[in-house]
Amino acid sequence: MEEVKLLGALSSPYAHRVIWALKLKGIKYEYVEEDIYNKSDMLLKYNPVHKKVPVLVHGGKPISESAVILEYIEETWPHNPLLPDDPHERAVARFWVKFGEDSFLCCYYFSFIHACESFKSISFNNNLVGFFVTTGEQQVKATKEVKEILGILEEHGLGEKKFFGGNNIGLADLAFGWIACLLETMEEAAGVKVLEANSFPRLQEWIKNFNEIPAIKESLHDRNELLTHFKRRREHFVSSAAS
Amino acid sequence: MEEVKLLGALSSPYAHRVIWALKLKGIKYEYVEEDIYNKSDMLLKYNPVHKKVPVLVHGGKPISESAVILEYIEETWPHNPLLPDDPHERAVARFWVKFGEDSFLCCYYFSFIHACESFKSISFNNNLVGFFVTTGEQQVKATKEVKEILGILEEHGLGEKKFFGGNNIGLADLAFGWIACLLETMEEAAGVKVLEANSFPRLQEWIKNFNEIPAIKESLHDRNELLTHFKRRREHFVSSAAS
């Protein structure tokens, strides 16, 4: 098999999606941690447009954008499918993949600038809306907004199902995996609680189901390392907004 | 064949993408123009999460999000393919589909709020960054930014090819179709020039190639109607930003 390499970053939910997909498919790969404060020449070469992780390199050819990488993985290694067969069900799964992406952006808004790094002259400094990057009253508002997003998942996304697609884990679950694996640490770093123990029972149940999957469990990062990282990110954002 | 219905709106580049794909595949469909100022019950029923166009309804089942609809069309009616066969080339095409979406958002930023209508408490009123929704100095800056985006297409997207994917029109071309079919009218409504006659020669050539495709040509909207619509939209945005 041709060599598979993944350029990722500890706190990137987009990189995590790809790691989970590769693990669920049992694909061997080399993982390269990128320093997002000091990007490698390899990253700049392989993703010259956005200069961001994740990038999957398969047989020397790079693929960027996590949703695009997920489709590539599914097409290249079709065993243990992560999309259903039925075209309409596939469309529903892809709808939630997109929503997973947008909803994360709304929590951690600064990511949008990374997404648009090539358009660096756009400054959002006065408009950090995510709970992760705000303080005071603005953060209270942002926290309320994230709860609205979680409410949509609870009502329209999950229903009575074990996973977003039904009985088996699929692409939509991976897109929301950040809620299961990163949100709690983000909350702690930001000093707020979004997903309270007694709220969103279906989502709570889904988090349990998601984290019980062996491929997910074995790829969880060390909590303390993650917390240190998120605290540093938050400090960086909050001080840029203030300056 | 099961009934195909499309809920769209005159000025939506996302609805246009879907119209073009259906025409290129020769699929018969019923088109329903939505009034975005007064959304129909049908739209609210079929897209309860985002409440926005386009929505494709096939055999009574709705599909939202233009990129998702395009994949659905390609899977359901595989003739006249809009994606290449090779998995890596498919990934490259999907990368540009995503970029087409993001780049439009950067011109016409308010769309992002429509995208996030469910999170309506998020207010971007002080932060309209697209050239279409700004005035004065802010608009000068925004115009420069759009040129940077067009530069990326010129350098990384098109190269020496006739279309984004090579010799034939494909999904990535549809994603950038708004540049060929809407940008000039948007410029006129906003009183700026982004794509000047002597700039971006590859992109200019691509616009010609794109607009020569019969399925595209026959679905172009009346220019005056479009201009009236865009002027009204711009007025609405600019006055909301000022209030």
Side-chain angles (χ1 to χ4, degrees):
Chain A
M1 204 178 86
E2 288 184 293
E3 196 194 44
V4 180
K5 193 184 287 198
L6 176 65
L7 280 57
L10 181 66
S11 66
S12 163
Y14 305 109
H16 277 77
R17 291 170 167 199
V18 177
I19 291 171
W20 295 325
L22 291 169
K23 297 246 181 205
L24 286 164
K25 298 271 186 186
I27 307 301
K28 287 219 170 84
Y29 65 96
E30 181 197 344
Y31 178 76
V32 181
E33 174 77 16
E34 276 291 325
D35 178 358
I36 47 174
Y37 298 102
N38 182 21
K39 295 177 179 181
S40 74
D41 289 343
M42 190 158 64
L43 179 61
L44 303 181
K45 173 185 150 198
Y46 282 140
N47 191 357
V49 172
H50 296 305
K51 304 174 184 70
K52 60 173 185 156
V53 296
V55 178
L56 186 78
V57 189
H58 183 207
K61 290 181 181 169
I63 302 135
S64 312
E65 291 288 354
S66 69
V68 175
I69 298 173
L70 292 180
E71 294 275 354
Y72 179 85
I73 290 173
E74 182 69 359
E75 288 182 349
T76 306
W77 299 286
H79 63 279
N80 301 352
L82 296 171
L83 277 175
D85 284 334
D86 174 75
H88 188 263
E89 287 176 26
R90 291 165 76 85
V92 173
R94 286 177 174 133
F95 174 89
W96 290 112
V97 167
K98 174 89 173 64
F99 191 87
E101 203 159 307
D102 295 346
S103 63
F104 181 77
L105 288 178
C106 288
C107 295
Y108 191 94
Y109 194 63
F110 222 72
S111 295
F112 191 64
I113 307 190
H114 290 288
C116 290
E117 193 168 2
S118 334
F119 331 141
K120 34 188 166 331
S121 45
I122 301 177
S123 162
F124 288 87
N125 274 350
N126 300 315
N127 192 48
L128 302 173
V129 293
F131 82 81
F132 186 71
V133 293
T134 41
T135 54
E137 242 178 77
Q138 221 188 352
Q139 196 185 39
V140 172
K141 200 169 149 255
T143 306
K144 212 178 125 229
E145 284 156 11
V146 179
K147 288 183 185 174
E148 283 180 38
I149 297 173
L150 299 181
I152 291 172
L153 295 188
E154 182 86 3
E155 186 188 344
H156 297 281
L158 277 163
E160 302 298 328
K161 293 167 295 177
K162 188 172 173 189
F163 292 105
F164 278 86
N167 281 323
N168 298 307
I169 191 166
L171 289 194
D173 299 285
L174 303 190
F176 290 112
W178 66 272
I179 296 177
C181 301
L182 301 178
L183 181 58
E184 201 200 329
T185 324
M186 287 170 71
E187 289 174 332
E188 188 174 336
V192 288
K193 198 72 197 158
V194 177
L195 187 57
E196 277 158 299
N198 56 355
S199 65
F200 307 115
R202 289 168 180 170
L203 199 55
Q204 303 275 7
E205 191 59 32
W206 170 82
I207 291 176
K208 252 195 271 173
N209 296 334
F210 186 83
N211 284 334
E212 266 167 17
I213 301 274
I216 307 291
K217 213 185 280 184
E218 71 182 56
S219 53
L220 285 181
H221 277 291
D222 176 76
R223 204 185 174 286
N224 285 336
E225 198 187 344
L226 209 54
L227 185 61
T228 307
H229 182 89
F230 274 129
K231 281 186 171 167
R232 187 179 166 203
R233 294 296 281 159
R234 175 164 158 87
E235 214 165 278
H236 172 79
F237 290 140
V238 171
S239 63
S240 331
S243 67
Chain B
M1 205 178 84
E2 289 183 292
E3 194 195 46
V4 180
K5 190 184 289 200
L6 175 66
L7 280 57
L10 181 66
S11 66
S12 163
Y14 305 109
H16 277 78
R17 291 171 166 197
V18 177
I19 291 171
W20 295 325
L22 291 169
K23 297 245 182 207
L24 286 163
K25 298 271 186 187
I27 307 302
K28 288 219 171 85
Y29 64 96
E30 180 197 345
Y31 178 76
V32 181
E33 174 77 16
E34 276 291 325
D35 177 358
I36 48 174
Y37 299 101
N38 182 21
K39 296 177 178 180
S40 73
D41 288 344
M42 189 159 63
L43 180 61
L44 303 181
K45 172 185 150 198
Y46 281 140
N47 190 357
V49 171
H50 296 305
K51 304 172 184 70
K52 60 173 185 158
V53 296
V55 178
L56 186 79
V57 189
H58 183 206
K61 290 181 181 169
I63 302 135
S64 311
E65 292 288 353
S66 69
V68 174
I69 298 173
L70 292 180
E71 295 275 353
Y72 178 85
I73 289 173
E74 182 68 2
E75 288 182 349
T76 305
W77 300 287
H79 63 279
N80 301 352
L82 296 171
L83 276 174
D85 284 335
D86 174 74
H88 187 263
E89 286 177 26
R90 291 164 76 84
V92 173
R94 287 178 174 133
F95 173 88
W96 290 112
V97 168
K98 174 89 173 65
F99 191 87
E101 202 160 309
D102 295 345
S103 63
F104 181 77
L105 288 179
C106 288
C107 294
Y108 192 95
Y109 195 61
F110 222 73
S111 295
F112 192 65
I113 307 188
H114 290 288
C116 290
E117 193 167 2
S118 335
F119 331 140
K120 22 183 172 338
S121 45
I122 301 177
S123 162
F124 289 87
N125 274 350
N126 299 316
N127 193 48
L128 302 173
V129 292
F131 82 81
F132 185 73
V133 292
T134 42
T135 53
E137 242 178 76
Q138 222 189 351
Q139 196 185 38
V140 173
K141 201 169 147 253
T143 306
K144 213 179 124 229
E145 285 157 10
V146 180
K147 288 183 185 175
E148 283 179 39
I149 297 173
L150 299 181
I152 291 172
L153 294 188
E154 182 85 4
E155 186 187 345
H156 297 282
L158 277 163
E160 302 299 328
K161 293 166 296 176
K162 189 172 174 189
F163 292 105
F164 278 86
N167 281 324
N168 298 308
I169 193 166
L171 290 194
D173 299 284
L174 303 190
F176 291 112
W178 66 272
I179 297 177
C181 301
L182 302 178
L183 181 58
E184 201 199 331
T185 324
M186 286 170 70
E187 288 175 332
E188 188 173 338
V192 288
K193 198 72 197 159
V194 177
L195 187 56
E196 278 158 296
N198 56 355
S199 64
F200 307 115
R202 289 168 180 169
L203 200 55
Q204 303 275 7
E205 191 59 32
W206 170 83
I207 290 175
K208 253 196 271 171
N209 296 333
F210 186 83
N211 284 335
E212 266 167 18
I213 301 273
I216 307 292
K217 214 184 282 185
E218 71 181 56
S219 52
L220 285 181
H221 278 291
D222 176 75
R223 204 185 174 285
N224 284 337
E225 198 186 344
L226 209 53
L227 185 62
T228 308
H229 183 89
F230 274 129
K231 280 186 172 168
R232 186 177 167 204
R233 293 294 282 159
R234 176 165 158 86
E235 214 166 277
H236 172 78
F237 290 141
V238 171
S239 62
S240 331
S243 66

